[in-house]
Amino acid sequence: MNAIYALAAFIAAIMIWNAVFKRNIGEAMAVGFLVTAAFAGSDALAVGWKSLVDGLKSEITFAALAFVFVSELLSRTGLVGRMVDILSSLLGRYRGGSAYAATVASGLFGAVAHNGAAIVATIGSITIPWMKRSKASGETAALVLSGNAGVGATFPFSGAFFVLLAAPTVLPVLSASDIVAAMFVTGVWMVLMRVVIAAAIVRKRGVGAMATEDIRPFRTSFRAGWPSLVVLGSIALPIIVASSALVANQTGLDADDVIPMLIWLPIVMLIAGLIVERKSLPRGRSQWWSLLGTVSPKLGLVGMTMISAFAASNVLNTLGLGKQLAPYMTGLTGVPQVIAAIVVGLIIVIVAGPLNTTSTVAAVGPVAFVALTTAGIPAPVAFAAILVWASSEGCSPPGAAPLYVAAGIAKINPVRIFMPVVLYYLIPTLVVGILLATGILWIPT
């Protein structure tokens, strides 16, 4: 029971430190790790130190930091603006074109940046004014952007992805190579869901075509922006190589042992970004120092979060969490998967109300994963469903930070979109997670 008590204390520490004391998730995870290590008793110092060292050496920690730097660098080069220009050229002349462009652009940017508030701030600063000029109300523009905020968490390599991958109940079961393809498909499903929602919003709330002066000729926008699509496509190379049967056949080793995917993915993406975005990169020492000054606090926050998450996971494993949870989870064996999915999904969505995606996954992700897999749901599917439910950070008022960012850009009272964002985005997110968990929506496993 000691490990179960430690897990409960870990969850409580995160929620109290993050939601009650309003401290950031990095601090909350560090406090949670210290509280967890205390349950090792007289061995707390030794167990905590070994777990911390393992967290520092983890490739998961490296990958999380590397993706933060890559996404920040590519955002500053104007990559996002050029992607939006291409989408506007394709869609802007049609009714609701700005809403569709905002939705797809959020998905593309979310695949790189992942952070909900960053998606709204970056994409919204461009598309919210365009939507308002397309005869959409400020409430409608803010609704679309806040509803799109969570899409980044459902693509691989978000902070929540790494926290769940390092969870004590997940780490022994799944590796990065087991889940990357499934999460890419999950992300695509979530973008498609939002496109359908955008169509409903266009029809019900009214969004016209974009203003003519906001639309560049496709040839012009594509000539300027096609390298941004190459950067996004570059992440496919390590995935294809790592999943190649040729590697395993020639070496007798698992592909992920020969080519650590979490190491190579950000490196390949960074190299591609430096090549195709070379004209837009910072110039001179002062500009590079400015970039580093901007990204350093984010790196510190992500580093603290990942190291603490991994260290706490190692402590719980040492305490025997898996063995101690097993007897309590056997009761879910034979329970219909749809019932397990509905119950777990509702719990995660409720927890995600006051917390952000990463905090939600850290707090309830490990137990949710065990509950779903015990009900017979395949591990990669359970992993994907948990991230889908936890990604509701932009559409779960009143604690939805991206919603307030969108409302600020649109200059509207955020309370006015509380109910619409729940109806249009929160409930569909819950439903899509259930459809994934029950196998109705396909993802590779």
Side-chain angles (χ1 to χ4, degrees), residues 171-208:
L171 193 60
V173 180
L174 290 175
S175 68
S177 59
D178 297 325
I179 197 64
V180 167
M183 289 313 304
F184 269 116
V185 175
T186 300
V188 172
W189 278 121
M190 295 305 290
V191 173
L192 291 176
M193 179 200 82
R194 286 168 166 82
V195 170
V196 173
I197 293 171
I201 290 174
V202 167
R203 183 170 181 175
K204 294 290 185 181
R205 299 177 68 96
V207 183

PDB file of all heavy atoms in Angstrom, residues 171-208:
ATOM      1  N   LEU A 171       5.563   3.544 -18.545  1.00  0.00           N
ATOM      2  CA  LEU A 171       6.954   3.350 -18.950  1.00  0.00           C
ATOM      3  C   LEU A 171       7.317   1.882 -19.197  1.00  0.00           C
ATOM      4  O   LEU A 171       7.998   1.577 -20.186  1.00  0.00           O
ATOM      5  CB  LEU A 171       7.881   3.968 -17.902  1.00  0.00           C
ATOM      6  CG  LEU A 171       9.354   4.137 -18.293  1.00  0.00           C
ATOM      7  CD1 LEU A 171       9.494   5.044 -19.510  1.00  0.00           C
ATOM      8  CD2 LEU A 171      10.135   4.706 -17.118  1.00  0.00           C
ATOM      9  N   PRO A 172       6.870   0.941 -18.361  1.00  0.00           N
ATOM     10  CA  PRO A 172       7.226  -0.450 -18.634  1.00  0.00           C
ATOM     11  C   PRO A 172       6.463  -1.074 -19.806  1.00  0.00           C
ATOM     12  O   PRO A 172       6.814  -2.159 -20.264  1.00  0.00           O
ATOM     13  CB  PRO A 172       6.858  -1.174 -17.321  1.00  0.00           C
ATOM     14  CG  PRO A 172       6.636  -0.101 -16.307  1.00  0.00           C
ATOM     15  CD  PRO A 172       6.165   1.085 -17.082  1.00  0.00           C
ATOM     16  N   VAL A 173       5.420  -0.394 -20.282  1.00  0.00           N
ATOM     17  CA  VAL A 173       4.521  -0.977 -21.275  1.00  0.00           C
ATOM     18  C   VAL A 173       4.760  -0.420 -22.677  1.00  0.00           C
ATOM     19  O   VAL A 173       4.709  -1.160 -23.668  1.00  0.00           O
ATOM     20  CB  VAL A 173       3.053  -0.734 -20.862  1.00  0.00           C
ATOM     21  CG1 VAL A 173       2.088  -1.342 -21.884  1.00  0.00           C
ATOM     22  CG2 VAL A 173       2.787  -1.307 -19.482  1.00  0.00           C
ATOM     23  N   LEU A 174       5.017   0.884 -22.785  1.00  0.00           N
ATOM     24  CA  LEU A 174       5.128   1.544 -24.080  1.00  0.00           C
ATOM     25  C   LEU A 174       6.458   2.264 -24.220  1.00  0.00           C
ATOM     26  O   LEU A 174       6.972   2.825 -23.250  1.00  0.00           O
ATOM     27  CB  LEU A 174       3.995   2.570 -24.254  1.00  0.00           C
ATOM     28  CG  LEU A 174       2.572   2.036 -24.426  1.00  0.00           C
ATOM     29  CD1 LEU A 174       1.588   3.206 -24.449  1.00  0.00           C
ATOM     30  CD2 LEU A 174       2.443   1.216 -25.693  1.00  0.00           C
ATOM     31  N   SER A 175       6.986   2.271 -25.448  1.00  0.00           N
ATOM     32  CA  SER A 175       8.130   3.105 -25.792  1.00  0.00           C
ATOM     33  C   SER A 175       7.678   4.127 -26.828  1.00  0.00           C
ATOM     34  O   SER A 175       6.556   4.055 -27.345  1.00  0.00           O
ATOM     35  CB  SER A 175       9.269   2.257 -26.365  1.00  0.00           C
ATOM     36  OG  SER A 175       8.900   1.721 -27.630  1.00  0.00           O
ATOM     37  N   ALA A 176       8.544   5.065 -27.154  1.00  0.00           N
ATOM     38  CA  ALA A 176       8.181   6.108 -28.121  1.00  0.00           C
ATOM     39  C   ALA A 176       7.785   5.506 -29.458  1.00  0.00           C
ATOM     40  O   ALA A 176       6.826   5.946 -30.101  1.00  0.00           O
ATOM     41  CB  ALA A 176       9.345   7.078 -28.294  1.00  0.00           C
ATOM     42  N   SER A 177       8.517   4.489 -29.908  1.00  0.00           N
ATOM     43  CA  SER A 177       8.230   3.896 -31.212  1.00  0.00           C
ATOM     44  C   SER A 177       6.869   3.207 -31.239  1.00  0.00           C
ATOM     45  O   SER A 177       6.280   3.032 -32.302  1.00  0.00           O
ATOM     46  CB  SER A 177       9.318   2.891 -31.589  1.00  0.00           C
ATOM     47  OG  SER A 177       9.413   1.868 -30.615  1.00  0.00           O
ATOM     48  N   ASP A 178       6.349   2.828 -30.070  1.00  0.00           N
ATOM     49  CA  ASP A 178       5.041   2.175 -30.006  1.00  0.00           C
ATOM     50  C   ASP A 178       3.895   3.153 -30.190  1.00  0.00           C
ATOM     51  O   ASP A 178       2.782   2.749 -30.551  1.00  0.00           O
ATOM     52  CB  ASP A 178       4.854   1.473 -28.647  1.00  0.00           C
ATOM     53  CG  ASP A 178       5.848   0.354 -28.415  1.00  0.00           C
ATOM     54  OD1 ASP A 178       6.195  -0.325 -29.388  1.00  0.00           O
ATOM     55  OD2 ASP A 178       6.287   0.181 -27.256  1.00  0.00           O
ATOM     56  N   ILE A 179       4.136   4.420 -29.927  1.00  0.00           N
ATOM     57  CA  ILE A 179       3.023   5.361 -29.786  1.00  0.00           C
ATOM     58  C   ILE A 179       3.061   6.536 -30.764  1.00  0.00           C
ATOM     59  O   ILE A 179       2.050   7.202 -30.976  1.00  0.00           O
ATOM     60  CB  ILE A 179       2.982   5.888 -28.324  1.00  0.00           C
ATOM     61  CG1 ILE A 179       1.625   6.521 -28.011  1.00  0.00           C
ATOM     62  CG2 ILE A 179       4.118   6.843 -28.052  1.00  0.00           C
ATOM     63  CD1 ILE A 179       0.478   5.571 -28.055  1.00  0.00           C
ATOM     64  N   VAL A 180       4.204   6.800 -31.400  1.00  0.00           N
ATOM     65  CA  VAL A 180       4.317   8.003 -32.234  1.00  0.00           C
ATOM     66  C   VAL A 180       3.311   7.985 -33.383  1.00  0.00           C
ATOM     67  O   VAL A 180       2.581   8.963 -33.606  1.00  0.00           O
ATOM     68  CB  VAL A 180       5.756   8.162 -32.764  1.00  0.00           C
ATOM     69  CG1 VAL A 180       5.806   9.212 -33.863  1.00  0.00           C
ATOM     70  CG2 VAL A 180       6.689   8.555 -31.638  1.00  0.00           C
ATOM     71  N   ALA A 181       3.252   6.889 -34.145  1.00  0.00           N
ATOM     72  CA  ALA A 181       2.325   6.832 -35.275  1.00  0.00           C
ATOM     73  C   ALA A 181       0.882   6.965 -34.813  1.00  0.00           C
ATOM     74  O   ALA A 181       0.075   7.674 -35.431  1.00  0.00           O
ATOM     75  CB  ALA A 181       2.520   5.524 -36.047  1.00  0.00           C
ATOM     76  N   ALA A 182       0.542   6.306 -33.702  1.00  0.00           N
ATOM     77  CA  ALA A 182      -0.821   6.384 -33.177  1.00  0.00           C
ATOM     78  C   ALA A 182      -1.186   7.815 -32.809  1.00  0.00           C
ATOM     79  O   ALA A 182      -2.314   8.264 -33.050  1.00  0.00           O
ATOM     80  CB  ALA A 182      -0.966   5.466 -31.962  1.00  0.00           C
ATOM     81  N   MET A 183      -0.235   8.558 -32.239  1.00  0.00           N
ATOM     82  CA  MET A 183      -0.540   9.927 -31.834  1.00  0.00           C
ATOM     83  C   MET A 183      -0.620  10.877 -33.023  1.00  0.00           C
ATOM     84  O   MET A 183      -1.382  11.843 -32.983  1.00  0.00           O
ATOM     85  CB  MET A 183       0.497  10.415 -30.821  1.00  0.00           C
ATOM     86  CG  MET A 183       0.379   9.765 -29.448  1.00  0.00           C
ATOM     87  SD  MET A 183      -1.314   9.710 -28.781  1.00  0.00           S
ATOM     88  CE  MET A 183      -1.766  11.440 -28.825  1.00  0.00           C
ATOM     89  N   PHE A 184       0.144  10.622 -34.080  1.00  0.00           N
ATOM     90  CA  PHE A 184      -0.022  11.443 -35.279  1.00  0.00           C
ATOM     91  C   PHE A 184      -1.421  11.265 -35.855  1.00  0.00           C
ATOM     92  O   PHE A 184      -2.091  12.243 -36.235  1.00  0.00           O
ATOM     93  CB  PHE A 184       1.031  11.094 -36.333  1.00  0.00           C
ATOM     94  CG  PHE A 184       2.281  11.917 -36.238  1.00  0.00           C
ATOM     95  CD1 PHE A 184       3.488  11.334 -35.930  1.00  0.00           C
ATOM     96  CD2 PHE A 184       2.244  13.291 -36.458  1.00  0.00           C
ATOM     97  CE1 PHE A 184       4.641  12.089 -35.826  1.00  0.00           C
ATOM     98  CE2 PHE A 184       3.391  14.059 -36.373  1.00  0.00           C
ATOM     99  CZ  PHE A 184       4.589  13.456 -36.053  1.00  0.00           C
ATOM    100  N   VAL A 185      -1.893  10.027 -35.932  1.00  0.00           N
ATOM    101  CA  VAL A 185      -3.242   9.777 -36.445  1.00  0.00           C
ATOM    102  C   VAL A 185      -4.284  10.377 -35.509  1.00  0.00           C
ATOM    103  O   VAL A 185      -5.282  10.954 -35.957  1.00  0.00           O
ATOM    104  CB  VAL A 185      -3.467   8.264 -36.626  1.00  0.00           C
ATOM    105  CG1 VAL A 185      -4.911   7.982 -37.047  1.00  0.00           C
ATOM    106  CG2 VAL A 185      -2.495   7.692 -37.654  1.00  0.00           C
ATOM    107  N   THR A 186      -4.051  10.284 -34.210  1.00  0.00           N
ATOM    108  CA  THR A 186      -4.962  10.899 -33.238  1.00  0.00           C
ATOM    109  C   THR A 186      -5.049  12.404 -33.461  1.00  0.00           C
ATOM    110  O   THR A 186      -6.142  12.991 -33.448  1.00  0.00           O
ATOM    111  CB  THR A 186      -4.488  10.613 -31.804  1.00  0.00           C
ATOM    112  OG1 THR A 186      -4.467   9.203 -31.584  1.00  0.00           O
ATOM    113  CG2 THR A 186      -5.403  11.266 -30.782  1.00  0.00           C
ATOM    114  N   GLY A 187      -3.894  13.039 -33.670  1.00  0.00           N
ATOM    115  CA  GLY A 187      -3.883  14.475 -33.927  1.00  0.00           C
ATOM    116  C   GLY A 187      -4.682  14.834 -35.168  1.00  0.00           C
ATOM    117  O   GLY A 187      -5.418  15.828 -35.189  1.00  0.00           O
ATOM    118  N   VAL A 188      -4.557  14.005 -36.212  1.00  0.00           N
ATOM    119  CA  VAL A 188      -5.320  14.254 -37.448  1.00  0.00           C
ATOM    120  C   VAL A 188      -6.819  14.125 -37.179  1.00  0.00           C
ATOM    121  O   VAL A 188      -7.623  14.943 -37.656  1.00  0.00           O
ATOM    122  CB  VAL A 188      -4.879  13.275 -38.554  1.00  0.00           C
ATOM    123  CG1 VAL A 188      -5.803  13.387 -39.766  1.00  0.00           C
ATOM    124  CG2 VAL A 188      -3.435  13.562 -38.974  1.00  0.00           C
ATOM    125  N   TRP A 189      -7.221  13.104 -36.402  1.00  0.00           N
ATOM    126  CA  TRP A 189      -8.633  12.971 -36.042  1.00  0.00           C
ATOM    127  C   TRP A 189      -9.147  14.221 -35.329  1.00  0.00           C
ATOM    128  O   TRP A 189     -10.266  14.690 -35.586  1.00  0.00           O
ATOM    129  CB  TRP A 189      -8.845  11.755 -35.139  1.00  0.00           C
ATOM    130  CG  TRP A 189      -8.958  10.432 -35.836  1.00  0.00           C
ATOM    131  CD1 TRP A 189      -8.159   9.332 -35.666  1.00  0.00           C
ATOM    132  CD2 TRP A 189      -9.946  10.044 -36.814  1.00  0.00           C
ATOM    133  NE1 TRP A 189      -8.571   8.295 -36.471  1.00  0.00           N
ATOM    134  CE2 TRP A 189      -9.673   8.709 -37.182  1.00  0.00           C
ATOM    135  CE3 TRP A 189     -11.026  10.695 -37.406  1.00  0.00           C
ATOM    136  CZ2 TRP A 189     -10.444   8.008 -38.113  1.00  0.00           C
ATOM    137  CZ3 TRP A 189     -11.798  10.009 -38.343  1.00  0.00           C
ATOM    138  CH2 TRP A 189     -11.499   8.686 -38.683  1.00  0.00           C
ATOM    139  N   MET A 190      -8.325  14.769 -34.445  1.00  0.00           N
ATOM    140  CA  MET A 190      -8.756  15.942 -33.686  1.00  0.00           C
ATOM    141  C   MET A 190      -8.849  17.188 -34.561  1.00  0.00           C
ATOM    142  O   MET A 190      -9.697  18.058 -34.335  1.00  0.00           O
ATOM    143  CB  MET A 190      -7.807  16.174 -32.513  1.00  0.00           C
ATOM    144  CG  MET A 190      -7.823  15.054 -31.468  1.00  0.00           C
ATOM    145  SD  MET A 190      -9.486  14.709 -30.824  1.00  0.00           S
ATOM    146  CE  MET A 190      -9.788  16.186 -29.848  1.00  0.00           C
ATOM    147  N   VAL A 191      -7.987  17.279 -35.565  1.00  0.00           N
ATOM    148  CA  VAL A 191      -8.107  18.395 -36.512  1.00  0.00           C
ATOM    149  C   VAL A 191      -9.382  18.237 -37.339  1.00  0.00           C
ATOM    150  O   VAL A 191     -10.126  19.202 -37.550  1.00  0.00           O
ATOM    151  CB  VAL A 191      -6.868  18.479 -37.428  1.00  0.00           C
ATOM    152  CG1 VAL A 191      -7.081  19.523 -38.515  1.00  0.00           C
ATOM    153  CG2 VAL A 191      -5.625  18.823 -36.614  1.00  0.00           C
ATOM    154  N   LEU A 192      -9.633  17.006 -37.817  1.00  0.00           N
ATOM    155  CA  LEU A 192     -10.850  16.765 -38.602  1.00  0.00           C
ATOM    156  C   LEU A 192     -12.100  17.061 -37.779  1.00  0.00           C
ATOM    157  O   LEU A 192     -13.081  17.619 -38.294  1.00  0.00           O
ATOM    158  CB  LEU A 192     -10.872  15.321 -39.091  1.00  0.00           C
ATOM    159  CG  LEU A 192      -9.822  14.957 -40.148  1.00  0.00           C
ATOM    160  CD1 LEU A 192      -9.893  13.468 -40.481  1.00  0.00           C
ATOM    161  CD2 LEU A 192     -10.009  15.788 -41.408  1.00  0.00           C
ATOM    162  N   MET A 193     -12.086  16.681 -36.498  1.00  0.00           N
ATOM    163  CA  MET A 193     -13.217  17.000 -35.634  1.00  0.00           C
ATOM    164  C   MET A 193     -13.444  18.506 -35.601  1.00  0.00           C
ATOM    165  O   MET A 193     -14.590  18.984 -35.685  1.00  0.00           O
ATOM    166  CB  MET A 193     -12.938  16.494 -34.214  1.00  0.00           C
ATOM    167  CG  MET A 193     -14.044  16.795 -33.209  1.00  0.00           C
ATOM    168  SD  MET A 193     -13.490  16.714 -31.467  1.00  0.00           S
ATOM    169  CE  MET A 193     -12.740  18.350 -31.262  1.00  0.00           C
ATOM    170  N   ARG A 194     -12.370  19.259 -35.500  1.00  0.00           N
ATOM    171  CA  ARG A 194     -12.500  20.711 -35.417  1.00  0.00           C
ATOM    172  C   ARG A 194     -12.932  21.328 -36.751  1.00  0.00           C
ATOM    173  O   ARG A 194     -13.588  22.372 -36.754  1.00  0.00           O
ATOM    174  CB  ARG A 194     -11.178  21.314 -34.934  1.00  0.00           C
ATOM    175  CG  ARG A 194     -10.946  21.085 -33.447  1.00  0.00           C
ATOM    176  CD  ARG A 194      -9.535  21.423 -33.019  1.00  0.00           C
ATOM    177  NE  ARG A 194      -9.432  21.521 -31.567  1.00  0.00           N
ATOM    178  CZ  ARG A 194      -9.286  20.488 -30.748  1.00  0.00           C
ATOM    179  NH1 ARG A 194      -9.203  19.257 -31.258  1.00  0.00           N
ATOM    180  NH2 ARG A 194      -9.225  20.667 -29.442  1.00  0.00           N
ATOM    181  N   VAL A 195     -12.570  20.704 -37.862  1.00  0.00           N
ATOM    182  CA  VAL A 195     -13.051  21.194 -39.159  1.00  0.00           C
ATOM    183  C   VAL A 195     -14.564  21.025 -39.244  1.00  0.00           C
ATOM    184  O   VAL A 195     -15.283  21.922 -39.720  1.00  0.00           O
ATOM    185  CB  VAL A 195     -12.347  20.444 -40.313  1.00  0.00           C
ATOM    186  CG1 VAL A 195     -13.011  20.778 -41.650  1.00  0.00           C
ATOM    187  CG2 VAL A 195     -10.871  20.807 -40.362  1.00  0.00           C
ATOM    188  N   VAL A 196     -15.076  19.878 -38.794  1.00  0.00           N
ATOM    189  CA  VAL A 196     -16.527  19.646 -38.776  1.00  0.00           C
ATOM    190  C   VAL A 196     -17.210  20.666 -37.863  1.00  0.00           C
ATOM    191  O   VAL A 196     -18.261  21.238 -38.207  1.00  0.00           O
ATOM    192  CB  VAL A 196     -16.832  18.207 -38.316  1.00  0.00           C
ATOM    193  CG1 VAL A 196     -18.339  18.015 -38.123  1.00  0.00           C
ATOM    194  CG2 VAL A 196     -16.299  17.203 -39.325  1.00  0.00           C
ATOM    195  N   ILE A 197     -16.620  20.912 -36.706  1.00  0.00           N
ATOM    196  CA  ILE A 197     -17.183  21.901 -35.781  1.00  0.00           C
ATOM    197  C   ILE A 197     -17.166  23.295 -36.409  1.00  0.00           C
ATOM    198  O   ILE A 197     -18.132  24.059 -36.279  1.00  0.00           O
ATOM    199  CB  ILE A 197     -16.407  21.890 -34.452  1.00  0.00           C
ATOM    200  CG1 ILE A 197     -16.642  20.566 -33.717  1.00  0.00           C
ATOM    201  CG2 ILE A 197     -16.819  23.066 -33.572  1.00  0.00           C
ATOM    202  CD1 ILE A 197     -15.745  20.368 -32.514  1.00  0.00           C
ATOM    203  N   ALA A 198     -16.054  23.622 -37.092  1.00  0.00           N
ATOM    204  CA  ALA A 198     -15.976  24.929 -37.759  1.00  0.00           C
ATOM    205  C   ALA A 198     -17.094  25.076 -38.785  1.00  0.00           C
ATOM    206  O   ALA A 198     -17.692  26.158 -38.920  1.00  0.00           O
ATOM    207  CB  ALA A 198     -14.610  25.095 -38.421  1.00  0.00           C
ATOM    208  N   ALA A 199     -17.399  23.997 -39.519  1.00  0.00           N
ATOM    209  CA  ALA A 199     -18.486  24.053 -40.503  1.00  0.00           C
ATOM    210  C   ALA A 199     -19.819  24.331 -39.818  1.00  0.00           C
ATOM    211  O   ALA A 199     -20.642  25.118 -40.319  1.00  0.00           O
ATOM    212  CB  ALA A 199     -18.547  22.728 -41.278  1.00  0.00           C
ATOM    213  N   ALA A 200     -20.032  23.712 -38.650  1.00  0.00           N
ATOM    214  CA  ALA A 200     -21.266  23.959 -37.915  1.00  0.00           C
ATOM    215  C   ALA A 200     -21.339  25.397 -37.408  1.00  0.00           C
ATOM    216  O   ALA A 200     -22.394  26.040 -37.464  1.00  0.00           O
ATOM    217  CB  ALA A 200     -21.369  22.977 -36.735  1.00  0.00           C
ATOM    218  N   ILE A 201     -20.204  25.908 -36.941  1.00  0.00           N
ATOM    219  CA  ILE A 201     -20.157  27.291 -36.455  1.00  0.00           C
ATOM    220  C   ILE A 201     -20.404  28.271 -37.596  1.00  0.00           C
ATOM    221  O   ILE A 201     -21.146  29.255 -37.446  1.00  0.00           O
ATOM    222  CB  ILE A 201     -18.806  27.568 -35.771  1.00  0.00           C
ATOM    223  CG1 ILE A 201     -18.729  26.795 -34.447  1.00  0.00           C
ATOM    224  CG2 ILE A 201     -18.609  29.068 -35.528  1.00  0.00           C
ATOM    225  CD1 ILE A 201     -17.388  26.874 -33.758  1.00  0.00           C
ATOM    226  N   VAL A 202     -19.802  28.013 -38.745  1.00  0.00           N
ATOM    227  CA  VAL A 202     -20.000  28.879 -39.921  1.00  0.00           C
ATOM    228  C   VAL A 202     -21.474  28.934 -40.283  1.00  0.00           C
ATOM    229  O   VAL A 202     -22.027  30.001 -40.586  1.00  0.00           O
ATOM    230  CB  VAL A 202     -19.153  28.371 -41.107  1.00  0.00           C
ATOM    231  CG1 VAL A 202     -19.572  29.051 -42.402  1.00  0.00           C
ATOM    232  CG2 VAL A 202     -17.668  28.604 -40.840  1.00  0.00           C
ATOM    233  N   ARG A 203     -22.113  27.777 -40.235  1.00  0.00           N
ATOM    234  CA  ARG A 203     -23.528  27.716 -40.617  1.00  0.00           C
ATOM    235  C   ARG A 203     -24.435  28.365 -39.583  1.00  0.00           C
ATOM    236  O   ARG A 203     -25.385  29.083 -39.925  1.00  0.00           O
ATOM    237  CB  ARG A 203     -23.920  26.251 -40.817  1.00  0.00           C
ATOM    238  CG  ARG A 203     -25.351  26.075 -41.287  1.00  0.00           C
ATOM    239  CD  ARG A 203     -25.611  24.638 -41.699  1.00  0.00           C
ATOM    240  NE  ARG A 203     -26.981  24.475 -42.172  1.00  0.00           N
ATOM    241  CZ  ARG A 203     -27.462  23.361 -42.679  1.00  0.00           C
ATOM    242  NH1 ARG A 203     -26.669  22.298 -42.795  1.00  0.00           N
ATOM    243  NH2 ARG A 203     -28.719  23.271 -43.073  1.00  0.00           N
ATOM    244  N   LYS A 204     -24.160  28.119 -38.303  1.00  0.00           N
ATOM    245  CA  LYS A 204     -25.061  28.581 -37.246  1.00  0.00           C
ATOM    246  C   LYS A 204     -24.800  30.026 -36.817  1.00  0.00           C
ATOM    247  O   LYS A 204     -25.741  30.764 -36.492  1.00  0.00           O
ATOM    248  CB  LYS A 204     -24.921  27.670 -36.017  1.00  0.00           C
ATOM    249  CG  LYS A 204     -25.388  26.245 -36.236  1.00  0.00           C
ATOM    250  CD  LYS A 204     -26.896  26.168 -36.391  1.00  0.00           C
ATOM    251  CE  LYS A 204     -27.352  24.714 -36.484  1.00  0.00           C
ATOM    252  NZ  LYS A 204     -28.837  24.609 -36.652  1.00  0.00           N
ATOM    253  N   ARG A 205     -23.528  30.430 -36.814  1.00  0.00           N
ATOM    254  CA  ARG A 205     -23.177  31.730 -36.243  1.00  0.00           C
ATOM    255  C   ARG A 205     -22.764  32.759 -37.296  1.00  0.00           C
ATOM    256  O   ARG A 205     -22.632  33.939 -36.981  1.00  0.00           O
ATOM    257  CB  ARG A 205     -22.057  31.560 -35.208  1.00  0.00           C
ATOM    258  CG  ARG A 205     -22.452  30.657 -34.045  1.00  0.00           C
ATOM    259  CD  ARG A 205     -21.300  30.444 -33.089  1.00  0.00           C
ATOM    260  NE  ARG A 205     -20.944  31.649 -32.367  1.00  0.00           N
ATOM    261  CZ  ARG A 205     -21.374  31.961 -31.146  1.00  0.00           C
ATOM    262  NH1 ARG A 205     -22.203  31.135 -30.516  1.00  0.00           N
ATOM    263  NH2 ARG A 205     -20.987  33.052 -30.542  1.00  0.00           N
ATOM    264  N   GLY A 206     -22.518  32.305 -38.517  1.00  0.00           N
ATOM    265  CA  GLY A 206     -22.259  33.240 -39.604  1.00  0.00           C
ATOM    266  C   GLY A 206     -20.832  33.721 -39.700  1.00  0.00           C
ATOM    267  O   GLY A 206     -20.382  34.515 -38.870  1.00  0.00           O
ATOM    268  N   VAL A 207     -20.104  33.197 -40.685  1.00  0.00           N
ATOM    269  CA  VAL A 207     -18.755  33.665 -41.002  1.00  0.00           C
ATOM    270  C   VAL A 207     -18.677  33.738 -42.514  1.00  0.00           C
ATOM    271  O   VAL A 207     -18.885  32.740 -43.205  1.00  0.00           O
ATOM    272  CB  VAL A 207     -17.663  32.705 -40.474  1.00  0.00           C
ATOM    273  CG1 VAL A 207     -16.276  33.275 -40.778  1.00  0.00           C
ATOM    274  CG2 VAL A 207     -17.826  32.449 -38.987  1.00  0.00           C
ATOM    275  N   GLY A 208     -18.392  34.928 -43.056  1.00  0.00           N
ATOM    276  CA  GLY A 208     -18.363  35.096 -44.501  1.00  0.00           C
ATOM    277  C   GLY A 208     -17.003  34.787 -45.087  1.00  0.00           C
ATOM    278  O   GLY A 208     -16.130  34.204 -44.440  1.00  0.00           O
TER     279      GLY A 208
END
